[in-house]
Amino acid sequence: MWQRRTFHECADELEIISTDFRSAYLNKLGFNESRRTQIMTDCSRRGVEVLRVLALSVRSDEDFGLTSANLRQHVGAHRPKSTSSEINFAMKSYRAPYNTLKDSRPLALREALNKIAHANPTQTGFFANEDNHDILLTGEKNGDIWIVVISLPALCRAIKVLPDIQTSC
């Protein structure tokens, strides 16, 4: 029998992945560059998988009334219209916290999950330090290029507020 993971198990795993990524990125354990890159690449791959599972599962369950929690909790910032040069600048210069993203508005959990599902995989970025791990995602909607910053710790906290339902993916 196949056993699916729960929302909370996915959030726990994402927290561990984020901690491992930040540890390698900040080189807390003194790994050589090759080992650090290997760890960060593996963490990124696993993190994307978990994010996609959460994005599709939570949105689907909410669509059918299976989650009773409020998905309006803020987990990042959204700038619905950006130019290519603004996105390039944000990717190179962004620093936490997410609410400092110029000309942005708060990003609720539901909207963050939508952006994860529709992100352009070729134009992403991140910011990581001891206390923050934010991902920068871009995409397009109705001809407008958008950018979002999602705090992984805030996303995990918001997921853990939801009822602990098995993922539907």
Side-chain angles (χ1 to χ4, degrees):
M1 178 174 92
W2 287 14
Q3 182 66 40
R4 294 184 177 132
R5 294 182 294 173
T6 68
F7 294 161
H8 293 195
E9 288 170 335
C10 288
D12 288 340
E13 182 178 357
L14 189 57
E15 286 176 328
I16 291 167
I17 291 168
S18 175
T19 299
D20 290 349
F21 181 92
R22 285 183 286 156
S23 179
Y25 179 71
L26 300 171
N27 204 15
K28 289 183 177 181
L29 301 176
F31 291 128
N32 65 38
E33 193 62 29
S34 174
R35 180 69 177 132
R36 284 179 64 218
T37 300
Q38 179 186 19
I39 292 169
M40 289 187 300
T41 300
D42 180 58
C43 288
S44 292
R45 182 186 45 76
R46 290 175 27 233
V48 168
E49 290 172 1
V50 173
L51 283 169
R52 288 184 174 166
V53 165
L54 282 169
L56 297 176
S57 295
V58 172
R59 289 179 334 142
S60 176
D61 283 7
E62 193 216 1
D63 287 347
F64 291 96
L66 300 176
T67 59
S68 59
N70 182 346
L71 295 184
R72 295 191 175 126
Q73 191 170 0
H74 295 158
V75 298
H78 176 219
R79 192 154 132 199
K81 294 183 180 182
S82 298
T83 65
S84 294
S85 61
E86 289 170 331
I87 287 175
N88 288 333
F89 180 76
M91 292 290 177
K92 291 176 186 172
S93 65
Y94 171 78
R95 298 291 176 265
Y98 59 78
N99 61 2
T100 61
L101 181 66
K102 185 179 176 193
D103 300 323
S104 67
R105 59 178 177 77
L107 179 72
L109 176 60
R110 168 72 187 202
E111 191 175 11
L113 298 172
N114 285 335
K115 297 305 183 195
I116 291 166
H118 296 288
N120 175 352
T122 66
Q123 198 166 33
T124 63
F126 73 92
F127 173 83
N129 64 17
E130 289 283 335
D131 302 316
N132 300 284
H133 189 178
D134 296 349
I135 56 173
L136 288 81
L137 305 175
T138 65
E140 190 174 324
K141 183 175 181 178
N142 300 325
D144 292 324
I145 301 171
W146 51 261
I147 184 168
V148 297
V149 177
I150 300 171
S151 165
L152 293 182
L155 180 82
C156 290
R157 285 190 301 272
I159 294 290
K160 289 181 179 184
V161 170
L162 300 174
D164 199 15
I165 299 172
Q166 290 182 339
T167 59
S168 56
C169 292

